[in-house]
Structure formats: C-alpha cells, structure tokens
Amino acid sequence: MRTILIEPTENPKVIKFVADYNLIPGSLELDRDSDISEIPLAQELFNYPFVERIFITANFVAVAKQDTVEWEHVAESLKNVIEDELLANPRIYLQKKKEMIEIYAEMTPNPNAMKFVSSKMLMDGFVEVKSKNEAEGVPLAQAIFTEFDFAKEVFISDNFVAVTRDNSVEWHQVMMAVRGYIAEYLQSGGVISNIESQKHENPVEKIINRDYTEDEQKISDILNEYVAPAVENDGGKISLLEYDAANKTAKMLLQGACSGCPSSTATLKGGIENILKQFVPDLVEHVEAVNG
C-alpha cells in the first residue's frame, strides 16, 4: 500500500494528497470535461459529485471541491481511493498489460545453429546477418552479438531467430541464456530491424525456378522425388542450382538448417551423389554443395 499524507492548502476548497514518490513528469490539470479515459485515478475521483478539479504534479494530487461538503467528512474516503489507484497504476496512467511473448529453442540439423522460435511473428520475410560487422541496421542482431561473444551469425525470419555459434561453447551451456535474452529483448519492445526484410523469393530462387534444360530437368525430378522430402523433414531445402555437362557435375543449393551444416558434405557424397549416379549415370558423376 502506498503511503499517502493529507495536507491542507491556503485555499480551503483545495486539499493535497501527498505520496512518497514522484507520480508523473510534468503536471496534469483535469476537470469534468477532460479526457480521462487513460487515467483511472481521475475517473474514480470524479465519481464523487463534489469533486470539481484535480491537479497532479510532482508527488501529490490536489483536489478542489464544491462548497456542499466539508473536507473532514470526505478526505479519508478520497485518500483511500488514491491509495488503491496508485497501487494499481503507480504512474497515474493506465498500465497496459504487456503482451507475453513465449520463446522456445529448437535444434537444427546443423549442430552449430539453434532456432529460437517466438509465439508472435517477428517480420514478413527475413534478414540475414553474417557477422557482427554487418549488424548495423538490425538492432536485435547487434544486441545478440554484443551480449554473446560466441555468436557468429544471426538469421531472423518470420517467427524465429537462428543463431550460429562458434566452437568456444556448446549449446547446452548457453541455450537458456540466449533464449532468455531474446525473450526479454522482445518483451521490452526492442526493435528487431530497421532495414527492409528480404522476401523469401530471392535471386537465387529465381535461378532455381528458371526453365531447365532437358538434362537439368531429369536431375531435378530425381531430387524432388527421392531426396527433397527427407531434407525438408530436417528443416532444410535442396535444389539444383547449376549443371556442368562437360564435367558431369551438379551443383546443389542447400538452404535452411542444411546451410553450413558439417554433415551436408557427407550427405551429398554418401547419399545424393550415389542416387544420381544410379538413376542418371550418363549425366552425373560429381555433386557439389553451395550454401544458401
């Protein structure tokens, strides 16, 4: 309960209710025609028909009354109202409930990358920050790089933030700290990005979606049927980026969690390359990875 003292003034129609802290910066002078929709204290005080005006500044609330009542009969009631209202809204104005943002961590196939998924959308599209030096214009990424020395890359998309670590730590050592930091940053209304997000269709995807040659289409069809479903289950995406017929080499674009994953090379050599050699041996002898 807030401590409120009643103090008379030189004007017998006005009395002061003094708090033990500063209520607001500046001052407010209110009458019954004022907009008090965001000031619950004033709403409650004006419920008393004898209250004419309210003045709030520094650490006190001054109330002006009509001549129909005496302060000795009503001052304590007003004091109780002010104490209750300051307990609910210490800074006079209505305290709006903060939107609770839940964050949970999600592993990716890349052991160096961890996704921190938000219960609310963060942006429409994505922003990719490859290093601390490239973080200008993306305050959330700047904050993560500043707080955590092990952070190498930050990728923000839709409802998640993906952080890539270096080899100085393991995720089980720092996951909770990163999760809590991101949650607190978003909860406090921190700015995510001041630069325009990229749409999910980027120039590389336009290359992928070009009209394939007959040979490229054969390779792409095999990828879509035998490889892509398994890769997508791991949170990644694989597409034919380029085909070098002279060297029988297919270059694959790895995106999502597969990008930069140490196991991607082994996957290509051990699985995808063998599949393509089996189905189109006259077209493919080698497979190379390009991280998106």
Side-chain angles (χ1 to χ4, degrees):
M1 182 70 70
R2 295 290 183 181
T3 300
I4 301 294
L5 300 178
I6 301 175
E7 290 185 4
T9 70
E10 294 182 2
N11 185 341
K13 293 182 61 175
V14 178
I15 199 169
K16 288 169 61 175
F17 298 89
V18 183
D20 55 358
Y21 70 100
N22 282 338
L23 303 177
I24 57 170
S27 62
L28 286 174
E29 188 171 359
L30 307 168
D31 58 26
R32 291 185 173 273
D33 293 326
S34 301
D35 181 5
I36 57 173
S37 58
E38 298 294 322
I39 311 175
L41 171 59
Q43 294 172 18
E44 291 298 319
L45 290 176
F46 280 129
N47 281 335
Y48 292 84
F50 58 83
V51 173
E52 286 189 332
R53 299 184 70 81
I54 302 168
F55 184 75
I56 306 172
T57 189
N59 66 331
F60 67 86
V61 178
V63 177
K65 69 172 182 65
Q66 297 175 348
D67 293 330
T68 54
V69 296
E70 299 298 329
W71 281 125
E72 62 186 46
H73 298 139
V74 297
E76 282 297 326
S77 295
L78 296 183
K79 174 176 177 283
N80 292 336
V81 168
I82 292 171
E83 287 175 340
D84 290 344
E85 289 304 316
L86 291 182
L87 187 63
N89 299 285
R91 298 298 174 186
I92 302 300
Y93 288 97
L94 181 66
Q95 284 191 176
K96 293 180 170 62
K97 292 183 178 180
K98 291 184 177 179
E99 179 186 6
M100 294 304 296
I101 301 175
E102 300 292 335
I103 299 289
Y104 68 89
E106 183 178 292
M107 294 294 295
T108 75
N110 183 349
N112 293 329
M114 180 75 70
K115 283 174 64 176
F116 297 90
V117 184
S118 169
S119 59
K120 64 169 287 185
M121 290 293 291
L122 304 180
M123 65 172 54
D124 179 15
F126 69 92
V127 170
E128 186 172 23
V129 183
K130 286 291 191 178
S131 70
K132 184 175 183 179
N133 294 333
E134 298 179 11
E136 185 178 357
V138 188
L140 174 55
Q142 288 179 314
I144 292 172
F145 284 127
T146 300
E147 184 71 14
F148 303 108
D149 291 339
F150 57 80
K152 289 179 60 180
E153 299 179 17
V154 175
F155 182 82
I156 307 168
S157 177
D158 300 330
N159 69 329
F160 71 86
V161 181
V163 179
T164 301
R165 63 169 176 82
D166 62 22
N167 294 324
S168 65
V169 296
E170 297 294 336
W171 274 119
H172 68 83
Q173 299 172 311
V174 297
M175 180 181 68
M176 294 302 294
V178 178
R179 173 186 166 192
Y181 184 80
I182 293 174
E184 183 178 350
Y185 184 93
L186 296 175
Q187 193 69 52
S188 64
V191 176
I192 296 172
S193 176
N194 291 321
I195 64 176
E196 185 177 356
S197 62
Q198 299 180 57
K199 299 306 177 184
H200 287 292
E201 183 179 5
N202 55 42
V204 172
E205 288 181 325
K206 290 181 180 178
I207 294 173
I208 295 168
N209 295 329
R210 71 190 186 283
D211 290 333
Y212 284 140
T213 65
E214 183 178 348
D215 288 344
E216 287 175 335
Q217 190 63 55
K218 289 179 182 178
I219 296 170
S220 180
D221 289 344
I222 293 169
L223 285 177
N224 291 335
E225 184 173 356
Y226 295 99
V227 180
V231 173
E232 288 171 1
N233 283 339
D234 285 335
K237 182 178 180 181
I238 186 168
S239 309
L240 177 64
L241 181 63
E242 184 181 335
Y243 173 60
D244 182 352
N247 296 309
K248 294 188 176 181
T249 299
K251 291 186 178 181
M252 305 295 172
L253 177 70
L254 299 176
Q255 295 174 291
C258 293
S259 178
C261 177
S263 64
S264 63
T265 301
T267 300
L268 281 165
K269 289 297 181 184
I272 301 169
E273 188 173 271
N274 289 338
I275 289 174
L276 291 174
K277 283 181 178 180
Q278 179 181 346
F279 283 93
V280 283
D282 56 326
L283 296 180
V284 177
E285 291 183 358
H286 307 285
V287 171
E288 295 179 3
V290 177
N291 288 320

